[in-house]
Amino acid sequence: MYVCLCTGVTDGKIRDAIYDGCCSYREVREATGVASQCGKCACLAKQVVRETLSSLQASQSVMSYPAEFSVA
Ligand code: FES
């Protein structure tokens, strides 16, 4: 899905930028150019960044548990 029509940035590109190491909306904007022109997509772009970061944090915390469970 296109998030930014001015620069052609999709939600997938935003996710890829985060998987590649961006950890804030500002970093994603600098890496992808999203919301760098008219700015109308900023709200949606921030939402995609927020959702991706929180699902990434959730999956990382799930991954860190199995070692503790196997010890118990
Ligand atoms: S739609 Fe993203 S900067 Fe215009």
Side-chain angles (χ1 to χ4, degrees):
M1 169 184 80
Y2 278 99
V3 172
C4 180
L5 294 178
C6 292
T7 60
V9 174
T10 61
D11 58 337
K13 275 192 193 169
I14 292 177
R15 286 194 197 99
D16 285 347
I18 292 170
Y19 297 145
D20 286 345
C22 292
C23 47
S24 69
Y25 167 70
R26 203 171 128 230
E27 287 180 7
V28 169
R29 198 182 61 195
E30 283 167 8
T32 64
V34 71
S36 60
Q37 292 183 27
C38 77
K40 283 183 183 168
C41 57
C43 238
L44 180 57
K46 280 180 195 171
Q47 192 184 324
V48 174
V49 169
R50 214 178 303 128
E51 284 173 7
T52 308
L53 285 175
S54 58
S55 71
L56 205 61
Q57 281 167 355
S59 67
Q60 282 173 348
S61 61
V62 166
M63 282 167 62
S64 66
Y65 287 125
E68 289 178 29
F69 287 144
S70 65
V71 173

